Amino acid sequence: MSSFRFLLSRRWAGFTVFVLILAYGTWWLGQWQFDRLEDRKASNQIVRTNEQAAPAPVSEVLAEGAKVSEKDEWRRVTATGTYAVDDTIIWRYRTPDEAKGIDIVVPLVLADGTAVLVDRGWLQTESQDEFDDLPAPPTGEVTITGWVRADGTGDSTDVAQVDGYHATRALSSTQVAKVVDEPLLTGWLHLDTESPEPATQLRQADLPELDNGPHFFYGLQWWFFGILAIAGFFYLMYDERRTQSRDETAPDDDEPADDEKTDERARKKAAKLAQKQAVKAAYQAAYEKERSGKG
């Protein structure tokens, strides 16, 4: 009976290490997806709580130079001030429902001289480089409510000049503060309501979807791949052992197999038949020669 000694070979040792690494990797990726699921559940709970809470004054939630707290994301706040239209920021390449357009962001200057960036909404445009007749915000003192958002990060937050406007591809109050005159509170607001209302309404941002996403099924998928790798390893190990066992019980090469014995008998029979036919032909030839001599 064969043993599993073949597992000590270099080939099988390397294969075993590979399967162990693969199994660990799929386990880690699956656990990472489940951790993301828990993070998403916690984030969704924060958003649900903030959506149901009464609006708070913006000064109680946002401050200059203070990073927006995770627990304040999507919290509703109120603010009163006047829009600094000359410092309008164009947020480019905004594509809700795959339609091309921009978001119009305007600083709202508060009574203490600080300002907060307000994303007033989305406007469909044909070009990302030319902006004509942008809808104006209400003039004079305005009271708004809005949803708190944290600053974007990365190179896409850089602010450039496009068609006479400040323009960016991701909104960051830290970057915008470098090109406007007003000191900005850190973070920004998605507009919810304005009073008085503007002459032209912009499309407001949608609240985030509060589902759990695909993380649960992704986690199960990674763990399934790990189980499949381990099961495949044991099957190949079983197949290798079975092959060795069959080789050990196979007939010796020096002993002809049943098919070989049958072929050998057929060859011998054919040889005897050929020999008989040759002898018969020789007698027949001698007989014909003797008759022709007598004649």
Side-chain angles (χ1 to χ4, degrees):
M1 185 175 181
S2 62
S3 67
F4 292 97
R5 191 171 299 172
F6 62 87
L7 292 174
L8 301 177
S9 67
R10 180 178 298 179
R11 178 171 65 91
W12 272 93
F15 184 46
T16 301
V17 172
F18 170 76
V19 171
L20 289 175
I21 294 174
L22 181 63
Y24 174 78
T26 54
W27 173 85
W28 184 87
L29 288 169
Q31 187 61 51
W32 174 63
Q33 287 291 343
F34 286 118
D35 289 343
R36 291 189 64 190
L37 174 62
E38 293 305 314
D39 291 342
R40 182 149 184 167
K41 287 180 177 179
S43 177
N44 287 346
Q45 185 57 47
I46 291 174
V47 174
R48 289 190 184 95
T49 300
N50 288 340
E51 286 180 356
Q52 296 169 3
V58 67
S59 58
E60 294 182 5
V61 181
L62 301 182
E64 187 178 357
K67 184 178 178 180
V68 175
S69 171
E70 183 178 352
K71 67 181 179 61
D72 290 328
E73 275 274 20
W74 294 101
R75 185 173 181 182
R76 197 152 58 116
V77 298
T78 62
T80 300
T82 56
Y83 281 117
V85 180
D86 291 341
D87 286 328
T88 295
I89 297 96
I90 303 299
W91 190 349
R92 306 164 74 195
Y93 305 109
R94 303 288 285 168
T95 56
D97 303 327
E98 299 184 356
K100 297 180 181 179
I102 60 173
D103 277 23
I104 301 176
V105 182
V106 187
L108 182 70
V109 183
L110 308 177
D112 62 1
T114 61
V116 59
L117 291 179
V118 180
D119 180 358
R120 298 191 58 249
W122 179 82
L123 177 69
Q124 186 169 4
T125 60
E126 294 297 328
S127 172
Q128 296 292 314
D129 299 314
E130 296 180 1
F131 315 106
D132 298 324
D133 300 326
L134 296 182
T139 59
E141 188 174 83
V142 181
T143 297
I144 71 164
T145 60
W147 308 98
V148 171
R149 300 303 311 280
D151 283 343
T153 58
D155 294 339
S156 58
T157 60
D158 293 341
V159 180
Q161 285 290 319
V162 178
D163 196 29
Y165 292 97
H166 304 304
T168 185
R169 290 180 291 119
L171 192 58
S172 167
S173 60
T174 303
Q175 294 297 323
V176 173
K178 298 177 182 179
V179 298
V180 299
D181 296 329
E182 301 81 17
L184 294 178
L185 302 180
T186 301
W188 52 278
L189 304 179
H190 265 312
L191 181 65
D192 183 25
T193 64
E194 282 178 317
S195 180
E197 295 184 354
T200 302
Q201 291 280 358
L202 299 173
R203 174 174 172 174
Q204 302 303 308
D206 297 325
L207 294 178
E209 296 183 3
L210 300 180
D211 57 41
N212 291 330
H215 305 299
F216 177 78
F217 295 102
Y218 283 169
L220 288 182
Q221 187 178 61
W222 281 117
W223 282 1
F224 172 76
F225 288 155
I227 294 172
L228 194 64
I230 295 172
F233 171 81
F234 281 105
Y235 173 78
L236 292 175
M237 183 176 65
Y238 161 76
D239 187 64
E240 179 83 3
R241 182 176 180 275
R242 183 180 59 179
T243 301
Q244 287 190 1
S245 178
R246 186 170 57 244
D247 291 343
E248 290 175 358
T249 58
D252 195 2
D253 291 341
D254 294 337
E255 297 180 4
D258 292 341
D259 291 343
E260 293 177 349
K261 291 179 180 179
T262 301
D263 292 342
E264 182 66 21
R265 285 196 297 267
R267 284 195 295 268
K268 289 181 178 180
K269 184 176 181 181
K272 289 181 179 179
L273 180 60
Q275 186 178 11
K276 289 180 178 180
Q277 290 176 345
V279 171
K280 182 177 180 181
Y283 276 115
Q284 185 66 31
Y287 173 73
E288 293 294 336
K289 183 177 180 181
E290 182 178 354
R291 286 187 59 188
S292 60
K294 289 181 178 181

